[in-house]
Amino acid sequence: MDINALLNDPNFLPWLIPVGPLLAFFIISLLTSRSKMTPATSAAYGGHHPDYDGMDVPIVTDRSRVVSIIVGMSGALSAWILSLRVVFEALAVQDFGKNVLASSLDWMDTGLTAFRMGVLVDPLTVIMLIMVPLAVTMIFIYSIGYMANDPRQARFFALISLFAGAMLTLVVADNLLLLFFGWEVMGVCSYLLIGFWFEKKSAYNAAIKAFTTTRVADVIMLLGIAYLFFSTGTLNFRDIMYNPMPGQDMAAHVEETGDHSAETAVAEGGAVVVEGEAAAAEGDHSETAAAEGEYGSEAHVITWAAHLGETPAIFFGGISAAGLIGIFLIIGTIGKSAQFPLHVWLPDAMEGPTPVSAMIHAAAMVSAGVYAVLRMYPVFEAGGHPHDGVFTSPLMLMAVVGSVTALFAATIAVAQNDVKKVLAYSTISQLGFMVAALGIGGFVAAAFHLITHAFFKALLFMASGAVIHGMEHGEHHVHAHGHSHGHDDGHAPAALPQGAGGGPLDPRLELAMDHGHGSADHGGHDAHGHALVTTHAAHDDHAEDHGHAFDPQDMMNMGGLRKTMPVTFITFLIGGMSLAGLPLITAGFWSKDEIIAEAWLGTTKGFGPHALVLICLSLAAFMTAFYTMRQLGLTFWGDNRTEEAAHANLGRGIVSVAMTLPLIILSFFAIVAGFVGVLPDFPILGGIFTPGKVAPFGALVEKALVNPVPHLSFNIIPVLISFTVALGGLFLGWLMYWRKPLTAGQKDPMITILGDSVHTTLKNKYYFDELYIMVFVKPSQWFAKNVSYEFLDKGLIDGFLHLVAAVFTFIGDLLKVLNLWLIDGVSDGIPTLIARSGKWFRGTQTGRIQQYMLFVLIAALVIGVIFAVTTGVLQAAP
Amino acid sequence: MVPLWMYLIVAAIVFCIGVYGVLSRRNAVAILMSVELMLSSVNINLIAFWRYTAPENMAGQVFAAFVFVIAAAEAAVGLAIIISIYRNRRSVIVEDVNLLRG
């Protein structure tokens, strides 16, 4: 194969996109294993863990740090550049959507046919390829600064490279199985990354929780995939959802046209691009028309998905095969994108470093869940027509789950005090928006919100990481320079840093440690023995005054940070406004508005799910705006509530630049990304941003579907709803938290408004974690301990082994006795016999000569007699 | 002439006395004496047979002479041994010489 031709073939390029980060993972893993063993109590090992006292722990060498950064960034940049190239090539394809960039190879022989795996770039992939590599690269740059002093930085870059590689694999996959591979690898990476600081018990517990919760959902998703394969014989997206179904004779069709022999366009040097279906489609259309006689009557193509929508499912007669498959696949997304009831892992996942949170919860993992449902949308829609009120079960499920989640998570976010937890619940809520939008048929709206959300959420997470970083800097500053530690304020939240004193700490070292303290606030939690940044646990002159340690993530400890961290403030503000949906100038507004518009349209037609979605999402949007304003107010406005906040800043130098540059870039996108989706008939702005008949974003995305999607037209009411909820929420937040910013020690006004019990319930996340522990975790642990361990393992298996051992021991003893008696008896008996007989014979040897003589005489006589008798001598004598 | 069998009987009786002596005497010298008796009886037998069956052949006399000589040598050697034993054991009782008993 000609390498040049290959590299210029746009069909082939998508293969290379995930290769960069994956290769980076392997190279970093192999090359950067050098560490210096340092005593665990030294300052370089910032996360002091009491179990490691007296031991040496490995801290990565500087050279390994540099190598990991360089290789990691190269991987991410290569993916980004290649994605941009692929996007340009794809957008240049004629009739993009019908013609796609695709390339696949035989992966597994299955008799007459082969299961093929490959890459596909269709409109949906294009938008993901615009967003994902950009966000990932930003996160990589951010990580350079954030993890600059972490003892295991190289491992971090290896893992996020793997993560990025898996996400990109998922994005460019052309079949459900390869998507699932990427999905699962991301699940593993989430475990590894959330539990990155594995010395912390809360971190590794959170990692296990994340992995097992998503795994539960993944098993069910796999069932869906299996059923889909069983029904259709293929898992290729185009084959199932875009290409017309092969006729009755499956085998013949598959050999002629059904598989992607037309799509495998590798190696035609240089020419622009492949189509795949253009020729094959004509042929098939006519054949299916002949076979089924339906084509031509309507514009809908009979794809596998459509067919499955008419076939009843195997087990549950009431729904179609597509419905059952859809439900299973959606359950996969419910787990991966943290929808109710499998949302419990996401807030705990805040234990991981902030770049991980940004990656997992904004750009990659949760987006993967929504991307998967976007991909499989035709399967969910099959048999129904949401725009006309005919809902299939998967769509209903999505609408209900999405709206419930959106509302439910927004209510919890209102009562959280940890800056990252608010964002976590906000993520869950926004993902609920996307899923609900898809449930009511808003394919374009959901995709739009996915993209804008990724941008502003990644921005928000990274900005919050900068805030935390700054707070830790402030905390350390307060330690090291021995300021009066606010003993005298007597304010509960202004908790004292534990273990102060000692010699001057190296300022560099405390900077990047985000130990993700994992609890939302101070109220009655137990002391973090080792959770603190500081390593000098020797002196606790201050710790005994307060039962709890200083939590740099608690918003009640912040306040007034706009003065010391202005860039972070502006970018956080922009991201927050985008999240809240500040009208017209933020991307979040446009995407949210489109969802609300879809819901409104359906509600006017009287469809139930649309109404549900409208109400829940509007309320959720209102609360989103409110808690965002609350978060901004508590963190940045007003005055510093603690000494640490007064000194919070990012410092100067490469760390702060590495951390603020991505924020600036992403805030640009958080504003601008929305303008590609402005409806054409939007007053004034529609004319400016959307010259054509359809918004550019929508025009692109809807080409991914084979059946046309009805276009939204402008309606003033949903816009008014969006304006009202956004501005209303922002105003309410401003009223409560900005006009009179909270001072140190002041109680959160939400507590008084909602009442103690309601507020506590919200703060404790409706006690879902406790419920799951009681219902799932404890029984599993009981089962594991008593059944698996005691009964099965020790009882049955060990018992069986003991039994076998006992039997053989018994046989052995038996043989021993046999041995002793029989063999030893014989082999000892014979010599004994001989000895005794010898002894007896010895008796004849008396040593007395006369005795011997007597014997001789007797012998002679006997011989003489015998001689005489036998030879007859006696007779012969006359 | 005296019949042959008379000489043979005499020899036999002497022989038996000799055997009896060898087997039952305690003193080693007495045993030697008994051995001499046995040898003498053998001599009587030899001469009797020579005289009565083939007197012209000298073989008989020669044989008897041999026996005499050997008896004498043997007595000498035997006495030497007894003396040697006596020197070691201070006793010539044959029963006491039973070191070779098993």
Side-chain angles (χ1 to χ4, degrees), chain A residues 556-601:
Chain A
M556 294 305 180
N557 288 342
M558 300 181 193
L561 291 185
R562 74 186 177 290
K563 303 180 210 145
T564 45
M565 300 170 68
V567 176
T568 313
F569 171 52
I570 305 280
T571 49
F572 204 122
L573 187 66
I574 294 177
M577 290 300 113
S578 202
L579 170 62
L582 187 68
L584 300 180
I585 56 170
T586 54
F589 166 73
W590 295 107
S591 50
K592 241 185 258 199
D593 180 51
E594 189 151 348
I595 299 178
I596 305 260
E598 284 273 358
W600 173 254
L601 190 61

Side-chain angles (χ1 to χ4, degrees), chain A residues 726-738:
Chain A
L727 291 175
L730 287 173
F731 179 66
L732 191 59
W734 176 81
L735 210 60
M736 285 173 62
Y737 292 95
W738 283 56

Side-chain angles (χ1 to χ4, degrees), chain A residues 842 845-847 850 854 857, chain B residues 19 22-23 25 31 97 101-102:
Chain A
R842 229 174 5 156
Q845 305 292 318
T846 57
Q850 284 161 327
L854 185 60
L857 193 67
Chain B
V19 167
V22 165
L23 293 178
R25 299 292 295 230
I31 293 177
V97 183
R101 105 179 151 149

Side-chain angles (χ1 to χ4, degrees), chain A residues 653-670:
Chain A
I654 195 84
V655 167
S656 103
V657 169
M659 286 174 66
T660 48
L661 181 65
L663 299 180
I664 299 173
I665 296 178
L666 281 175
S667 51
F668 169 74
F669 279 97

Side-chain angles (χ1 to χ4, degrees), chain A residues 462-770:
Chain A
M462 291 202 269
S464 73
V467 165
I468 294 168
H469 190 125
M471 285 295 284
E472 286 178 345
H473 188 159
E475 175 191 354
H476 146 75
H477 192 249
V478 158
H479 276 283
H481 299 277
H483 284 256
S484 71
H485 295 279
H487 274 282
D488 359 62
D489 333 9
H491 294 301
L496 297 176
Q498 193 179 12
L505 297 167
D506 188 305
R508 260 182 1 109
L509 295 166
E510 311 301 324
L511 287 184
M513 300 293 182
D514 172 17
H515 288 278
H517 292 258
S519 73
D521 59 359
H522 286 302
H525 70 72
D526 34 49
H528 290 294
H530 54 270
L532 261 209
V533 175
T534 164
T535 62
H536 295 260
H539 303 263
D540 23 36
D541 7 13
H542 305 291
E544 68 270 18
D545 282 17
H546 293 265
H548 37 68
F550 176 73
D551 185 359
Q553 296 185 302
D554 189 342
M555 290 194 290
M556 294 305 180
N557 288 342
M558 300 181 193
L561 291 185
R562 74 186 177 290
K563 303 180 210 145
T564 45
M565 300 170 68
V567 176
T568 313
F569 171 52
I570 305 280
T571 49
F572 204 122
L573 187 66
I574 294 177
M577 290 300 113
S578 202
L579 170 62
L582 187 68
L584 300 180
I585 56 170
T586 54
F589 166 73
W590 295 107
S591 50
K592 241 185 258 199
D593 180 51
E594 189 151 348
I595 299 178
I596 305 260
E598 284 273 358
W600 173 254
L601 190 61
T603 313
T604 49
K605 295 192 197 160
F607 304 144
H610 287 257
L612 173 71
V613 165
L614 179 67
I615 297 177
C616 289
L617 291 195
S618 310
L619 281 175
F622 176 77
M623 283 195 263
T624 307
F626 172 67
Y627 66 64
T628 308
M629 208 58 175
R630 169 177 181 264
Q631 184 175 25
L632 285 165
L634 282 177
T635 312
F636 292 104
W637 207 251
D639 291 315
N640 309 113
R641 278 194 286 281
T642 56
E643 197 63 43
E644 287 82 357
H647 296 278
N649 63 52
L650 287 177
R652 285 177 216 271
I654 195 84
V655 167
S656 103
V657 169
M659 286 174 66
T660 48
L661 181 65
L663 299 180
I664 299 173
I665 296 178
L666 281 175
S667 51
F668 169 74
F669 279 97
I671 298 177
V672 157
F675 295 137
V676 294
V678 180
L679 292 174
D681 34 2
F682 201 90
I684 310 171
L685 292 174
I688 304 179
F689 289 112
T690 309
K693 273 187 1 140
V694 188
F697 187 87
L700 176 63
V701 168
E702 69 179 9
K703 294 205 205 118
L705 296 176
V706 68
N707 296 327
V709 175
H711 295 144
L712 275 181
S713 52
F714 174 72
N715 187 328
I716 190 71
I717 307 218
V719 173
L720 278 181
I721 296 180
S722 304
F723 264 70
T724 320
V725 297
L727 291 175
L730 287 173
F731 179 66
L732 191 59
W734 176 81
L735 210 60
M736 285 173 62
Y737 292 95
W738 283 56
R739 206 154 57 107
K740 278 187 306 199
L742 254 53
T743 51
Q746 188 180 353
K747 209 165 65 150
D748 191 348
M750 284 308 291
I751 304 181
T752 27
I753 294 181
L754 291 176
D756 242 345
S757 57
V758 174
H759 189 257
T760 322
T761 313
L762 290 183
K763 197 152 83 166
N764 288 329
K765 318 156 238 165
Y766 293 98
Y767 301 109
F768 257 93
D769 282 323
E770 287 76 5

